[in-house]
Amino acid sequence: MVPARSADPRVTAGTIALVAVALLIGGAFAGLILEATRNPTGAASAFDSYLFRVARFTLWQALLSTLLSVVPALFVARALSRHPRFFGRGLILQLFAVPLALPAIVAALGILALYGRAGYFAGVFSAIGGQGWPGIYGLSGILVAHVFFNLPLATRLFLEALATVPTDQWRLASQLGMGARPAFRLIEWPTLRAALPGVAGLVFMLCITSFTIVLTLGGGPRATTLEVAIYQALRFDFDPARAVTLTLLQIALTFVVVVALMRLGANTVGDANLPVAPRRYLSAGTAETALNAALIALALLFVVGPMAATVTSGLGADLGRLAGESAVRQATLTSAVLALLAALLSVALSLSLVMARRALALRRRVGAKTLLEHATDTGASFVLVVPPIVIGAGWFLLLRTVSDVFAIAPVMVVAVNAVMAMPFAIRAIRPGYDAASERHERLCLLLGISGWNRFRLVDWPSLRRPLATGFAFAMALSLGDLGVVALFGSDSLQTLPYLLLARMGSYRTMDAAGLALLLGLVCLALVLAADWLGRGGNHDAQQ
């Protein structure tokens, strides 16, 4: 006998998860609205020339970063696609995945070590310019950092799109003796053109919500985005009215971008997995091979350079002394505890939504989705509209009138990081759970197995690897996050990214380099573990 619909604990768990996410985001909006109603003239007066200058720069740097990331990625992806098998290709793709694992502040340190005023290339740039190299702070540094992160991501997404071209088209092109240019115009470009709006929109959204990169490389008021301006308005100027205005404008911009992405069908989370390279029936000529090799080499050098500089600078620091400092040990322990709690909460909320969505889909069978089913399906993606600094700003304004903001800082850091990691955790968990449900759903209904017994006896064996994947990825994201802790951090709450930023601000660059190496290696190990577990989980699911 089929259990009553209202008794399904999976739907109850999903509803609780939705309420938790809604409370976090709704509380932030409540703080913003209360502050705006408390001082409406102050919020209105914040619409000045500085606000519009910051908004213009936010859009301008995002547009330039998108162009500089996406256009070269088109050619690099095509070069890799034209040569599906050569020595080192797999390693290159793995290296292109590393920026996805690096915290933004670690990458910023690597870029400064390479291109900064005292960087490895400073002498070369000084010789070329005929005068002292001023460094890379400002718009140029922001653009370099954004391209470092987004060029590999766009390349992998375009390469994934090219892998969907049917093999029959390549076989027919080979039989017709089609050259490189006609093949690009008739086969490759239509596929790339279809993927272009979504990839460009995704990169634009990542750049418009960039916080850590602009905070560390912006270099002053002339290179400030809305998110950094929100942080400065609360932590340095303590101007709540301006913070509210900036926050509402940031929400409006990100909402427009995310809606455009959804209409384009873009993947707002990104994908680090690539299918096996298909066979190519068209061989590249000597000239094309040389050009493709040059493109791949240049892209590889651009991506590997900051990573190598991070390792070299970090090894040059006094790692033994850093390891013995009580501040470093305390920051490491704080980061580990907060990231562990955030990852556990993120996985629990994500699994609840995945189970509820599946249960509601099976219950419906035919007809349109209910509001609850639609919410469990897309509710976690809504957090992409509201950046972490915006949620933090809203709660900062809400809590400052009722309690000590910094006393509740650990709870806020854990909650915001957990919710922000949910889209990635859901992506890891959902395929495994859906596959397990497809196999066992009818049997569980017949035997009356539900709730904790079902999860322990039936679902857990299939979900161990997906859950571990989501947990590792969520923990890596939480470890490297600076957005929320930059707002709520203090002398009593210091994480590794927060301590790294403080060492940079006090010009202790060698200490910052050592901390960056430690943080980068830990986050990279977690993401590689997540990737390994994910591939193992997919293999198990297929079996």
Side-chain angles (χ1 to χ4, degrees):
M1 183 176 180
V2 179
R5 292 182 176 184
S6 59
D8 196 329
R10 294 177 295 177
V11 178
T12 303
T15 304
I16 294 174
L18 283 175
V19 170
V21 175
L23 284 175
L24 182 68
I25 299 177
F29 279 99
L32 296 173
I33 294 171
L34 288 175
E35 185 63 35
T37 55
R38 185 181 295 114
N39 187 12
T41 57
S45 63
F47 283 93
D48 53 13
S49 58
Y50 172 76
L51 175 67
F52 292 110
R53 185 169 69 248
V54 170
R56 284 196 303 269
F57 181 81
T58 302
L59 295 171
W60 177 240
Q61 62 84 22
L63 178 61
L64 288 179
S65 299
T66 301
L67 290 174
L68 294 175
S69 301
V70 172
V71 174
L74 285 167
F75 297 98
V76 177
R78 181 181 181 272
L80 288 168
S81 177
R82 292 284 288 174
H83 304 277
R85 291 180 178 85
F86 62 85
F87 179 76
R89 185 180 188 273
L91 178 61
I92 291 174
L93 293 178
Q94 289 296 324
L95 290 172
F96 276 14
V98 171
L100 300 175
L102 284 181
I105 195 169
V106 174
L109 261 293
I111 290 170
L112 287 175
L114 202 61
Y115 306 112
R117 182 175 300 177
Y120 296 113
F121 286 165
V124 177
F125 294 142
S126 297
I128 294 174
Q131 56 184 358
W133 173 242
I136 200 172
Y137 284 105
L139 179 61
S140 58
I142 294 171
L143 295 179
V144 170
H146 282 166
V147 175
F148 167 77
F149 278 107
N150 296 312
L151 172 63
L153 173 63
T155 298
R156 292 172 68 88
L157 292 176
F158 282 132
L159 191 57
E160 181 181 353
L162 287 172
T164 63
V165 176
T167 305
D168 293 342
Q169 293 189 16
W170 292 112
R171 185 184 296 112
L172 179 60
S174 176
Q175 294 172 351
L176 296 175
M178 190 176 294
R181 290 185 179 180
F184 175 76
R185 180 170 56 88
L186 298 175
I187 300 177
E188 293 169 322
W189 174 240
T191 301
L192 292 173
R193 184 177 57 192
L196 180 59
V199 175
L202 172 61
V203 173
F204 187 82
M205 186 196 73
L206 294 175
C207 295
I208 204 174
T209 58
S210 177
F211 172 73
T212 305
I213 290 298
V214 182
L215 182 65
T216 53
L217 298 176
R222 294 179 61 87
T224 298
T225 58
L226 288 169
E227 291 203 13
V228 175
I230 295 168
Y231 165 74
Q232 292 171 344
L234 289 177
R235 285 304 298 261
F236 297 112
D237 304 329
F238 197 72
D239 188 350
R242 181 175 294 277
V244 168
T245 305
L246 291 165
T247 301
L248 294 176
L249 185 55
Q250 175 70 29
I251 292 173
L253 287 178
T254 52
F255 179 78
V256 170
V257 173
V258 171
V259 169
L261 285 175
M262 294 175 64
R263 291 183 64 87
L264 292 169
N267 174 16
T268 54
V269 179
D271 194 353
N273 299 316
L274 287 172
V276 178
R279 179 183 175 185
R280 285 289 185 265
Y281 291 87
L282 295 181
S283 59
T286 304
E288 184 187 0
T289 300
L291 178 60
N292 291 339
L295 287 172
I296 295 172
L298 288 174
L300 182 63
L301 288 174
F302 183 82
V303 172
V304 170
M307 294 188 290
T310 300
V311 175
T312 304
S313 300
L315 293 176
D318 191 349
L319 298 177
R321 178 182 58 80
L322 282 175
E325 288 188 16
S326 59
V328 175
R329 293 200 302 268
Q330 183 62 40
T332 303
L333 178 61
T334 301
S335 294
V337 171
L338 294 181
L340 177 65
L341 294 175
L344 288 173
L345 180 58
S346 180
V347 168
L349 293 174
S350 301
L351 179 61
S352 299
L353 289 182
V354 167
M355 292 191 302
R357 186 205 65 84
R358 178 66 178 173
L360 291 170
L362 291 173
R363 175 189 298 180
R364 173 175 50 90
R365 298 186 181 276
V366 294
K369 291 183 178 180
T370 62
L371 180 61
L372 181 59
E373 183 183 352
H374 186 74
T376 56
D377 192 15
T378 61
S381 299
F382 183 73
V383 302
L384 299 173
V385 180
V386 189
I389 191 68
V390 170
I391 297 179
W395 278 97
F396 189 97
L397 295 172
L398 181 66
L399 294 174
R400 73 184 182 91
T401 58
V402 296
S403 65
D404 181 7
V405 172
F406 298 103
I408 202 170
V411 177
M412 291 307 307
V413 172
V414 169
V416 176
N417 285 341
V419 172
M420 288 300 160
M422 283 179 62
F424 302 91
I426 287 176
R427 188 179 184 88
I429 297 170
R430 180 169 166 176
Y433 183 82
D434 286 351
S437 175
E438 189 70 28
R439 293 194 300 268
H440 304 134
E441 191 71 33
R442 184 178 296 275
L443 180 62
C444 289
L445 287 173
L446 291 175
L447 296 178
I449 303 176
S450 63
W452 172 249
N453 288 331
R454 169 174 175 159
F455 178 78
R456 179 173 58 89
L457 299 174
V458 179
D459 295 331
W460 173 247
S462 301
L463 289 179
R464 282 179 297 182
R465 279 185 175 269
L467 288 173
T469 301
F471 175 84
F473 209 97
M475 190 168 181
L477 290 176
S478 301
L479 272 174
D481 177 72
L482 183 62
V484 183
V485 77
L487 197 59
F488 287 92
S490 62
D491 292 338
S492 59
L493 181 68
Q494 290 191 347
T495 61
L496 275 177
Y498 189 86
L499 182 62
L500 200 162
L501 182 65
R503 296 291 169 93
M504 289 178 63
S506 58
Y507 299 101
R508 299 172 64 178
T509 54
M510 293 307 297
D511 286 358
L515 293 174
L517 178 61
L518 171 63
L519 180 61
L521 289 177
V522 172
C523 292
L524 179 61
L526 285 170
V527 171
L528 290 178
D531 179 68
W532 177 78
L533 289 168
R535 285 186 281 110
N538 292 338
H539 179 70
D540 294 343
Q542 290 173 0
Q543 290 180 341

